[in-house]
Amino acid sequence: MGTAGLGIRQALLGLAALLFLIDLYLIFQYAPTASEALGLQVQRIFYFHVPSALLGMISFAVAATASVVYLTKRGRKWDRIAWASAEVGTVFFTVAIGTGAIWAKPVWQTWWVWDVNGTLTFMLWLVFIGYLIVRSYAPTVERGSRWAAVVAIFGAAAVPFVYMAADWWEGLHTERITGPGASGSMQSEIFVTFMFSLVTFLVLFIALVAERTAQRGVEESIEELRREVSA
Amino acid sequence: MKSYLRSAVAVYAKDMRLEARTKETFSAVLAFAVIVAFVFGFAFDPSPTVVALVGPGIVWVAYVFTGILGMNRTFAVERDRGTLEGLLLAPVGREAIYAGKLASTTTIMLVVEVLLYPVFLVLFELNLFNIWFVLITIAATVGFSAVGTLFSAIAAHTRAREILLPLLFLPIVLPVIIGAVASTSAALAGDGWDGVGKWLQFIVAFDLVFLVLSSWAFDFVLEE
């Protein structure tokens, strides 16, 4: 079953590689240098930062939705999708947090700001890590899948609460710093580059999740065969 | 509904009776909480101005850590004595077992938390005898137990229960911690409902959502 759709998956990975080359050209050649308030050249990291943060959020939504379906319908396929999405999402969140810090240090003179987006990203990143770890400690694969699904669903249910709490907290404690892109309209070159980056990351995300999902499928069939042989 | 309540009360009464006879969880958790409070005295300068600033934070860090310690034992005790299977074989709904366990965890935590009021008063001159703070304590503790009871059932089945519970528990209850610290600051500053109300409603909303979600998920967690 793992070989099904192999061609499509390889094509997707190839497409992602091609899109990244074009994306890099757009980011460094086509897009104009941003205003000083956004950090001039440093602002270009945004074309990686924002898409990876958005895709991280999307991966969480995918993982939580697939987890609900897995718990109610019990198809192994859904667990594999949730798992793959969580793995890829963890990487995207890590990239988002890292690039955010790299941008904020020269522009805001601080690595980290306790704003809503930062808090939410960090919290979901932690939930994903718990999601991945709880599986490795489970006595059986199925139990690990069910426990992980519960963790993902709980994380998703906590999102609106974290969002509200962090928002009120921010209003209470810090001067609100207007995020980049929030003020004024985006220049069209910046907008085009940004959208292209988003599509590029989306294709990469789909390619990686499809690949990991298929790999899990192969792993599970091998495990099944091994059990049959030894039985 | 009636049998659900009766089974939940039976589980709760069993846990309370066990705790009243051994005082195992209670004494260990209380001692740990006092130690945490004591150590905080050296983590910063405990002068009135500093305490006014960081007091709510240390109270809730102490509560959360002791809560984790206590909740870890909720199902670990049953696992170690092999009584969990017996409990699960009982012809009652799993939601009733969850409700009973939730109630006993909440009770033990609340008792420990209230006993810490005078400790904080003596060590930091932090006066927690405040009706708003009592309400915040109750609301936040129910939220902690709602999530923690479920995750402690997961953690109890693993080799790494001490590390797994905080890892799963803390990110999810982050909103309750934020709400508890913020509303405690407001309550201790004498703000009353104007400052506390918003957060209190927020924590109660969290409690409701996660009580429902946890009773639903409990079955999936314990399934072999």
Side-chain angles (χ1 to χ4, degrees):
Chain A
M1 65 152 298
T3 50
L6 182 66
I8 299 173
R9 291 204 309 276
Q10 282 177 339
L12 267 173
L13 274 176
L15 178 65
L18 182 70
L19 286 177
F20 259 106
L21 283 177
I22 303 170
D23 194 30
L24 284 175
Y25 173 82
L26 288 178
I27 291 171
F28 288 106
Q29 297 296 321
Y30 175 72
T33 307
S35 68
E36 201 169 346
L38 294 179
L40 302 171
Q41 298 294 346
V42 189
Q43 181 269 343
R44 293 184 200 274
I45 206 167
F46 263 79
Y47 300 115
F48 269 42
H49 172 69
V50 179
S52 50
L54 278 177
L55 261 303
M57 303 277 172
I58 291 172
S59 73
F60 205 95
V62 172
T65 313
S67 296
V68 173
V69 180
Y70 172 68
L71 283 186
T72 46
K73 295 236 161 66
R74 294 294 159 116
R76 287 294 311 162
K77 184 180 77 184
W78 295 103
D79 178 53
R80 292 199 289 267
I81 292 173
W83 194 351
S85 193
E87 282 180 318
V88 179
T90 309
V91 175
F92 278 51
F93 274 140
T94 311
V95 170
I97 292 169
T99 51
I102 291 169
W103 179 83
K105 186 61 184 171
V107 182
W108 285 348
Q109 276 79 46
T110 174
W111 296 110
W112 182 260
V113 176
W114 292 97
D115 66 349
V116 178
N117 290 332
T119 308
L120 191 60
T121 306
F122 201 86
M123 174 262 182
L124 290 178
W125 184 70
L126 289 173
V127 174
F128 262 163
I129 287 171
Y131 176 96
L132 297 175
I133 287 180
V134 78
R135 285 177 188 271
S136 57
Y137 281 121
T140 64
V141 176
E142 280 75 20
R143 285 203 114 171
S145 305
R146 255 179 277 125
W147 291 353
V150 169
V151 171
I153 294 166
F154 270 52
V159 166
F161 289 102
V162 175
Y163 192 89
M164 268 174 86
D167 191 38
W168 290 350
W169 181 267
E170 196 191 359
L172 220 60
H173 289 264
T174 49
E175 287 278 311
R176 212 174 269 264
I177 309 171
T178 321
S183 59
S185 56
M186 253 191 248
Q187 274 173 276
S188 66
E189 287 94 342
I190 292 184
F191 181 74
V192 167
T193 311
F194 176 73
M195 289 316 278
F196 193 88
S197 245
L198 194 58
V199 172
T200 306
F201 271 77
L202 185 65
V203 172
L204 178 70
F205 173 78
I206 295 170
L208 289 177
V209 170
E211 195 61 43
R212 277 311 265 166
T213 308
Q215 279 177 6
R216 296 278 179 220
V218 176
E219 272 173 26
E220 276 173 28
S221 350
I222 291 174
E223 197 51 44
E224 218 166 277
L225 287 173
R226 189 176 290 156
R227 240 176 290 155
E228 265 172 42
V229 170
S230 62
Chain B
M1 190 63 207
K2 211 170 157 200
S3 77
Y4 165 84
L5 271 181
R6 215 172 35 227
S7 332
V9 169
V11 173
Y12 175 70
K14 170 197 82 75
D15 276 5
M16 285 295 105
R17 201 152 48 233
L18 192 71
E19 196 51 47
R21 284 178 191 163
T22 64
K23 294 165 199 75
E24 246 179 21
T25 304
F26 172 75
S27 52
V29 167
L30 182 64
F32 178 76
V34 174
I35 292 167
V36 170
F38 180 66
V39 169
F40 265 127
F42 300 98
F44 60 91
D45 164 32
S47 66
T49 38
V50 178
V51 168
L53 219 60
V54 299
I58 61 164
V59 169
W60 284 102
V61 170
Y63 283 5
V64 168
F65 283 174
T66 51
I68 289 172
L69 204 68
M71 285 181 302
N72 239 329
R73 299 194 46 84
T74 312
F75 284 95
V77 174
E78 305 269 1
R79 272 280 288 180
D80 294 346
R81 292 182 188 142
T83 48
L84 186 59
E85 284 76 13
L87 199 58
L88 296 181
L89 282 173
V92 297
R94 295 272 161 89
E95 304 83 19
I97 297 175
Y98 170 77
K101 282 286 176 190
L102 170 81
S104 62
T105 309
T106 311
T107 308
I108 294 173
M109 274 176 68
L110 277 176
V111 171
V112 170
E113 284 166 354
V114 170
L115 285 175
L116 280 178
Y117 285 19
V119 175
F120 281 112
L121 182 64
V122 170
L123 291 181
F124 301 104
E125 293 210 32
L126 200 59
N127 187 3
L128 301 174
F129 295 92
N130 174 316
I131 180 66
W132 294 112
F133 183 72
V134 174
L135 292 177
I136 298 163
T137 307
I138 295 170
T141 305
V142 170
F144 289 154
S145 320
V147 177
T149 304
L150 183 88
F151 285 155
S152 90
I154 292 181
H157 286 88
T158 66
R159 287 166 282 120
R161 55 175 80 133
E162 293 80 12
I163 184 67
L164 201 56
L165 178 62
L167 200 67
L168 300 176
F169 170 77
L170 284 174
I172 305 288
V173 297
L174 179 68
V176 179
I177 299 175
I178 296 175
V181 172
S183 55
T184 302
S185 298
L188 296 185
D191 278 2
W193 178 256
D194 291 336
V196 180
K198 176 172 88 165
W199 288 108
L200 208 52
Q201 288 170 319
F202 172 81
I203 298 173
V204 170
F206 180 97
D207 292 356
L208 293 177
V209 168
F210 280 88
L211 281 174
V212 173
L213 208 54
S214 297
S215 349
W216 169 76
F218 193 62
D219 209 16
F220 295 115
V221 164
L222 286 180
E223 199 179 309
E224 288 291 336

